[in-house]
Amino acid sequence: MSGDDRGQAPFSFGGDPQGAARAGTRTMPGWLKLVLVVVVLAGGAGGYLYFVDPRLGRELLGGTPMAPPPAVTTAYKWRDAKGNWHLTDRPPPQGTPYETVEAHGDANIMPSQRLKKE
């Protein structure tokens, strides 16, 4: 770097076009700066809705008339005569007590089971 180049930025985002031309750099127009800022903010908002809080994105888009209703699956949980548990899509034989379980397609549910500490 020579004595004349000292203090000059290698790239300028605006300001002095003549100074930038003397330094051999280009300036960025103001409209392009605005477009870049809008794109970065929109990308950040989209990333937040997609990765951080997908429920908020579903709430914002879920109320639209084109949104399909969430799928609901009904299952039947029952125990046979030997004591074995069954989870089926059809009700158990008549006279067998059972529990109805609904799984909603718009929810990510994984049943938790506590492990026995020995």
Side-chain angles (χ1 to χ4, degrees), residues 7-82:
Q8 296 289 331
F11 186 80
S12 173
F13 281 99
D16 182 17
Q18 288 82 18
R22 284 192 303 272
T25 60
R26 296 182 181 176
T27 60
M28 183 180 287
W31 64 268
L32 186 56
K33 289 184 218 176
L34 180 64
V35 168
L36 286 174
V37 168
V38 169
V39 166
V40 167
L41 290 176
Y48 176 80
L49 291 176
Y50 186 76
F51 292 111
V52 178
D53 194 1
R55 285 181 310 163
L56 181 60
R58 278 196 306 270
E59 288 175 11
L60 291 175
L61 301 175
T64 61
M66 299 300 288
V72 178
T73 303
T74 303
Y76 301 93
K77 180 179 173 183
W78 53 280
R79 191 181 285 201
D80 63 11
K82 294 181 181 178

